[in-house]
Amino acid sequence: MIGLLFALPFVAYLAWLVWALVAYPIPLGYNLRSLWQRKLSSLSTAAAIALVVGIFVVVLSLAQGLSVAFVSSGRPDQALVLRPNARFELNSSIERDRMRILKVHPLLKRDAAGPMASAEVVVVKLFPMADGTDTNVTVRGLEGRGITLRPQVQLVQGRWFRPGLSEVVVPRKMQGRFPTLELGRNLRMGGRDWLIVGTFDAGGASYESEVWSDVNDVMQAFRRESYSAMVARLESPERVDGFMKAVEDDKRLKLEVIRETDYFKELTKAGDPIKILGNLITLILTGAAIFAAMNTMYAAVAGRTKEIGTLRALGFRQREILASFQWESIFLCLTGGILGSGLALFANGIQTGTTSFETFSDVSFAFTITPGLMAQGVAFSLVMGLLGGILPAWRASRIPLTEAMKGG
């Protein structure tokens, strides 16, 4: 509500400017010629705006990439069973006897192979990165059903791991950032060597941040006596609530069920620190860009005092001059905004990663530039044009006629 109150004056002022562009007789070509005559200052200001808008869009694309990674990981007809108040798989534990009860639950979806559920364990392991630093990577032990429950995960090279042989499969997109994850190499984890037998692609989902192996192999190597969670598929999304209530009411289990989409939505908070830092940097640069635009427009007003006097002598009113100079500032900033949004496309698809403060492990994702983000960048430049031009435009419209005719 407060944001709306602040936005209303800008929207009203912009609406008046649009009306003035049609109703008032000073042609826009006059302002375009003026910008062209001051090519150097106009280009430098547009470049500053482009830099700010480019950074703004790239920062938003980081959050967008994280959101895509987590949101595309969950299914509405699947649920995750955790220890109460665990919040995340890494903090959860489910004993073997409880898991046996869960896996024969009557509400689970079944096919020819039986209940569609996977008992899984999640641990973290320190891996060396290409830049020489180390970071925690999630290692997921899962049953064969776990692969079936994630249809977005596709094998692209090699084969899937086999139980009992200490084999792992790794995400293809992590291999560039982690040189030890090459196909055919051995990993040292949990006191034993693991052979990398395959690579997979998860279509941008968060599973592209995980190393996968057989659940029993991982539990033995990392000395785990209990599972972390169970992934379960229900007959339909509507059945999840019933499954949730049945498990939570079962005195033998005392476990918590969360819809898979809700679980991954919670994990998107990993992007909050990036948003805060990026917005802080953008805010600082925005102030500098607005002052650059303001300086350019003040210089334009100072150098065109006689022109302003001539316009006044020809009968143009103060509000018409105000609208004319304001549009000049807007056009200058919009040019930079369009350029900056376009330049941000060069970052689209670049693979990167960050540490999730929720799971304390690496999250791999790609910069994701969308048309919506580019539109936000252009709208951002429009705001800068309004703020950077309003004072110079006001100054231009308020120069006394006698002073203007004398050239200041």
Side-chain angles (χ1 to χ4, degrees), residues 94-131:
I94 301 176
E95 293 79 5
R96 293 176 183 269
D97 57 342
R98 294 184 183 183
M99 186 62 72
R100 283 192 289 269
I101 297 172
L102 277 172
K103 292 188 71 174
V104 295
H105 200 284
L107 292 181
L108 295 179
K109 184 175 182 178
R110 286 167 166 75
D111 61 10
M116 300 188 71
S118 172
E120 302 184 356
V121 64
V122 174
V123 297
V124 293
K125 172 72 173 64
L126 207 61
F127 279 76
M129 299 181 67
D131 61 5

Side-chain angles (χ1 to χ4, degrees), residues 15-75:
W16 175 79
L17 286 173
V18 172
W19 176 81
L21 186 64
V22 178
Y24 293 163
I26 300 181
L28 189 60
Y30 165 75
N31 304 103
L32 299 180
R33 284 194 300 271
S34 172
L35 290 173
W36 180 251
Q37 289 169 359
R38 296 176 286 107
K39 292 187 286 291
L40 185 60
S41 62
S42 296
L43 285 173
S44 62
T45 302
I49 299 296
L51 174 65
V52 174
V53 170
I55 293 173
F56 175 73
V57 174
V58 168
V59 168
L60 290 180
S61 77
L62 283 170
Q64 180 72 17
L66 271 172
S67 178
V68 168
F70 288 120
V71 171
S72 61
S73 300
R75 288 174 56 109

Side-chain angles (χ1 to χ4, degrees), residues 125-336:
K125 172 72 173 64
L126 207 61
F127 279 76
M129 299 181 67
D131 61 5
T133 61
D134 296 333
T135 188
N136 282 328
V137 172
T138 298
V139 178
R140 180 181 297 275
L142 64 163
E143 298 176 318
R145 273 295 198 185
I147 300 173
T148 306
L149 293 172
R150 299 171 173 95
Q152 69 270 54
V153 178
Q154 299 293 320
L155 189 71
V156 294
Q157 195 175 8
R159 59 175 175 80
W160 290 112
F161 57 82
R162 291 182 294 193
L165 297 179
S166 298
E167 296 176 341
V168 299
V169 293
V170 299
R172 179 183 59 182
K173 292 181 180 178
M174 282 184 69
Q175 290 178 313
R177 299 176 56 231
F178 296 86
T180 59
L181 297 185
E182 294 178 5
L183 185 66
R185 291 190 60 167
N186 283 313
L187 289 177
R188 190 71 181 172
M189 296 191 306
R192 67 170 75 169
D193 290 326
W194 303 72
L195 179 63
I196 301 175
V197 297
T199 61
F200 64 85
D201 185 276
S206 64
Y207 304 121
E208 291 181 343
S209 307
E210 301 177 351
V211 174
W212 284 7
S213 185
D214 175 68
V215 62
N216 291 317
D217 288 353
V218 174
M219 290 178 71
Q220 290 171 9
F222 287 88
R223 296 178 175 84
R224 296 299 177 93
E225 296 298 325
S226 59
Y227 300 98
S228 297
M230 186 185 82
V231 180
R233 182 173 297 177
L234 288 303
E235 289 290 346
S236 67
E238 292 73 25
R239 295 289 184 90
V240 174
D241 290 336
F243 178 66
M244 187 182 304
K245 187 176 187 307
V247 171
E248 292 176 357
D249 289 347
D250 194 324
K251 302 301 182 183
R252 300 171 300 169
L253 297 176
K254 296 181 181 179
L255 296 171
E256 189 173 86
V257 179
I258 183 172
R259 193 181 296 270
E260 198 176 46
T261 50
D262 293 337
Y263 175 78
F264 285 108
K265 185 178 179 181
E266 180 72 15
L267 285 178
T268 58
K269 293 179 180 178
D272 289 349
I274 295 177
K275 290 181 185 178
I276 294 171
L277 179 61
N279 289 335
L280 180 61
I281 295 172
T282 303
L283 182 63
I284 295 171
L285 292 175
T286 298
I290 289 174
F291 277 113
M294 194 177 295
N295 185 60
T296 299
M297 292 308 300
Y298 269 125
V301 172
R304 289 153 64 189
T305 306
K306 284 188 176 181
E307 290 181 22
I308 295 170
T310 302
L311 290 172
R312 293 288 305 279
L314 291 174
F316 290 103
R317 291 168 292 183
Q318 289 179 329
R319 60 177 178 269
E320 294 168 351
I321 295 173
L322 170 67
S324 178
F325 276 82
Q326 181 70 83
W327 271 112
E328 189 169 318
S329 172
I330 291 173
F331 184 80
L332 177 64
C333 292
L334 280 177
T335 302

